[in-house]
Amino acid sequence: MKSLYRGLGIASVSVVLVGVAACGGESGSGEAEAAGAKLAVVATTPEVADFVRNVGGDDVAVTQIIKPNVDPHDYEPTPADIKAIGEAKVVVKNGVGLEEWLDRTIESAGFQGAVVDSSQGVTLREGGHDHGHEEGEEEHAEEEAGEEHDPHIWHNPQNAKIMVTNIEKGLAAADPGRADAFASNLAAYGKELDKLDADNEDAFAKLPAADRKLVTNHDAFGYYVDRYKLEFVGSVIPSLDTSAELSAKQLTDLVAKIKATGTKAIFTESSLPPKTAESIAQQAGVKVVGGEDALFGDSLGEPGTPEGTYLGAEKHNTEVIVAALAG
């Protein structure tokens, strides 16, 4: 992953950070603490932000750092991000090492509130699909070990339920007067997550096991693959993040594996360019699924669309995958 300060002079960045942090420290004790004011929350990723909105409802004001279709593995915070963090009462992150930039940004912003790690309690997958572990073997690891684990935890709705429970606890601790409302919202949203999970299971139950083979842009769907008993054949980018590149041998091997396994399609992702996936699909003689049907691997859709929510994006993914593999 790329450095937080890539392409910028350290001295000039430090001046910006110090100035913004000072502004944040002053506003944090002002309007946000007024009676009846919404709880100011910064959420890092689109998925986490959507979870906060569902649990917090009208009682929270959410600032989402990473916008739709922006690669979270290659993100660099802006002065506006630092200002928002400095003014917030709560920062909610995905965790598992996804936000490498966050700790340094929090320090620079002079943030004095609570940080909620939504991944706490999630059983983590080790990096790569060839290093799975038995159920219950691996509980949440310390943050410093995050890079060894798959951070795309939200692709299993059962993990999403753990994430929103952590978020509810964090919001209630920061604003006890609204704890009942947060708990009620959590209960209602939990039912929607259960329905999503059940609908996904029903959809894949109609797909023969021999057809449940998945090739994607990068290795983002491990928890989804495990949950719905798919076979991960490979990815265009051979990594959990998006910084790696496919070597000539890996490309040849992936094409051969696609042919040997009878995989029917390669799925592109909304936040990644499709060119390499299209090239591999052409060589392998399979269709490439992209455009409006691209999967939401690291992101959600645009605000105001069904896919702009976690529930809508995951429903989209399942519908697209099942339709393409059943064809």
Side-chain angles (χ1 to χ4, degrees):
M1 297 186 193
K2 301 178 183 178
S3 168
L4 172 61
Y5 300 116
R6 173 173 57 85
L8 296 173
I10 294 297
S12 61
V13 172
S14 298
V15 170
V16 173
L17 298 186
V18 169
V20 173
C23 294
E26 291 177 2
S27 60
S29 58
E31 182 179 346
E33 292 183 351
K38 294 185 178 184
L39 181 65
V41 182
V42 166
T44 55
T45 68
E47 297 83 10
V48 168
D50 189 54
F51 292 157
V52 174
R53 294 186 190 103
N54 277 280
V55 174
D58 293 335
D59 292 317
V60 298
V62 183
T63 299
Q64 177 181 318
I65 297 294
I66 301 176
K67 300 304 184 283
N69 294 321
V70 173
D71 184 357
H73 301 284
D74 189 27
Y75 189 73
E76 296 181 8
T78 66
D81 297 333
I82 301 165
K83 184 175 186 294
I85 289 173
E87 294 176 345
K89 293 298 179 185
V90 180
V91 170
V92 182
K93 65 179 180 177
N94 179 84
V96 204
L98 185 64
E99 304 98 334
E100 285 191 333
W101 47 271
L102 185 59
D103 288 346
R104 190 170 182 179
T105 306
I106 284 175
E107 182 179 356
S108 299
F111 176 68
Q112 298 297 316
V115 177
V116 176
D117 181 349
S118 65
S119 70
Q120 290 290 336
V122 172
T123 300
L124 301 179
R125 295 181 63 258
E126 294 184 13
H129 284 265
D130 294 330
H131 300 92
H133 49 262
E134 296 297 322
E135 182 177 355
E137 173 187 335
E138 186 68 51
E139 292 302 322
H140 178 78
E142 296 298 325
E143 186 68 22
E144 56 266 27
E147 288 189 336
E148 298 176 2
H149 295 91
D150 185 346
H152 305 88
I153 55 177
W154 63 89
H155 284 304
N156 180 342
Q158 294 182 341
N159 291 345
K161 288 191 71 174
I162 296 174
M163 296 172 77
V164 294
T165 299
N166 289 330
I167 291 169
E168 186 270 337
K169 291 177 181 177
L171 298 183
D175 193 346
R178 291 162 169 159
D180 289 345
F182 297 148
S184 177
N185 294 341
L186 173 65
Y189 191 61
K191 292 179 181 178
E192 294 188 77
L193 293 174
D194 286 337
K195 184 178 186 304
L196 170 68
D197 192 30
D199 289 347
N200 285 350
E201 284 195 303
D202 289 345
F204 282 111
K206 299 178 177 67
L207 189 66
D211 292 334
R212 300 178 195 173
K213 297 181 174 67
L214 196 66
V215 177
T216 56
N217 259 122
H218 83 299
D219 190 358
F221 290 89
Y223 294 96
Y224 186 93
V225 165
D226 291 348
R227 176 71 186 118
Y228 302 116
K229 299 179 175 60
L230 310 183
E231 178 184 345
F232 182 73
V233 175
S235 57
V236 175
I237 301 172
S239 175
L240 293 172
D241 66 44
T242 56
S243 60
E245 295 183 1
L246 201 67
S247 69
K249 183 181 185 306
Q250 288 173 318
L251 189 153
T252 301
D253 289 347
L254 179 57
V255 170
K257 192 172 182 180
I258 290 170
K259 291 180 177 180
T261 57
T263 301
K264 294 182 177 180
I266 296 177
F267 297 90
T268 65
E269 298 173 42
S270 64
S271 58
L272 294 172
K275 186 175 181 180
T276 305
E278 291 168 350
S279 175
I280 292 174
Q282 184 176 17
Q283 294 181 53
V286 300
K287 59 187 173 184
V288 62
V289 180
E292 292 184 355
D293 288 335
L295 302 183
F296 295 99
D298 278 336
S299 189
L300 300 181
E302 293 297 326
T305 67
E307 295 80 16
T309 68
Y310 169 79
L311 294 172
E314 294 295 313
K315 179 181 179 182
H316 164 93
N317 286 349
T318 297
E319 289 178 347
V320 167
I321 291 171
V322 170
L325 297 184

